Amino acid sequence: MKNENLDKWFEQQRDCWDIADPKSGHGQRFLDKLDQNKKSGKIINLNSWWKPLLVAASLTLLVFLGLWKTSPQKSKDLAAVSAEMEQTQDFFTMAIEKELFEVEQQRSPKTQKLIDDALKQLNLLEEDYTKLKKDLAKSGEDKRVIHAMITNFQARINLLTNVLDEIENFKELNNKDYENQIL
């Protein structure tokens, strides 16, 4: 049935199709026009421009990769010293993230100022750690710098733990005040 509809449509459209043969010499006239365009330079040869562009892009990429690989490393993590130091850094990083999450969970209008102050102090300690990383790269794994980095991690954890303790004390004081008011 679909073929019948299609055949019927083609029969109806028969007069619309251009089925006339081209005039004699059509092919020669077409070739002559192509030759004229070649002589006037209107045709762009695509093979002539993409190869130099590809070479230039490749050279640029190689230069950037070379600069990126040869640039000196400005800071060195504690993890770069040894496998034990990598485990130490991972332990402290996870502990700090956990404590920071707990502090953020305690955020309320009453604890806002305390938490904001603690985060400012934490940022200062992180800036100090960034300086220590640069010192470690310069000193070549000096044990004093490594000790200072570990102490910095411990100071950050202690700061967050103290903030949590202060928040807990603050909550207890508020609960006792309400208990006394009720009695």
Side-chain angles (χ1 to χ4, degrees), residues 99-159:
E99 293 290 320
L100 189 58
F101 178 76
E102 289 179 20
V103 166
E104 288 293 337
Q105 291 296 315
Q106 299 298 324
R107 187 179 290 270
S108 69
K110 293 180 180 179
T111 61
Q112 180 76 28
K113 185 172 168 70
L114 179 66
I115 292 174
D116 288 342
D117 289 341
L119 292 178
K120 286 178 186 174
Q121 291 176 11
L122 190 66
N123 283 335
L124 291 174
L125 286 169
E126 288 176 8
E127 289 174 8
D128 289 343
Y129 184 76
T130 303
K131 291 176 187 174
L132 287 170
K133 288 193 312 186
K134 290 177 183 175
D135 289 345
L136 184 66
K138 289 178 186 175
S139 70
E141 300 177 10
D142 186 2
K143 289 185 181 189
R144 293 175 294 174
V145 177
I146 293 171
H147 179 71
M149 293 173 90
I150 292 172
T151 303
N152 181 284
F153 276 129
Q154 290 171 337
R156 287 191 261 175
I157 291 174
N158 288 339
L159 172 69

Side-chain angles (χ1 to χ4, degrees), residues 154-166:
Q154 290 171 337
R156 287 191 261 175
I157 291 174
N158 288 339
L159 172 69
L160 293 171
T161 304
N162 289 340
V163 169
L164 285 172
D165 290 343
E166 288 294 321

Side-chain angles (χ1 to χ4, degrees), residues 10-69:
F10 274 111
E11 281 298 319
Q12 291 171 352
Q13 302 298 324
R14 178 171 288 264
D15 295 333
C16 297
W17 303 107
D18 185 15
I19 55 173
D21 290 331
K23 295 180 184 177
S24 65
H26 171 74
Q28 187 60 39
R29 286 192 309 275
F30 182 74
L31 291 174
D32 290 341
K33 285 183 181 180
L34 281 178
D35 286 338
Q36 280 180 338
N37 285 340
K38 282 184 183 179
K39 290 176 185 174
S40 68
K42 291 182 181 178
I43 294 179
I44 298 172
N45 188 0
L46 296 178
N47 291 333
S48 65
W49 67 271
W50 71 272
K51 288 180 183 178
L53 185 64
L54 184 62
V55 170
S58 298
L59 288 175
T60 304
L61 181 65
L62 287 174
V63 167
F64 280 119
L65 284 176
L67 290 175
W68 180 62
K69 290 287 185 183

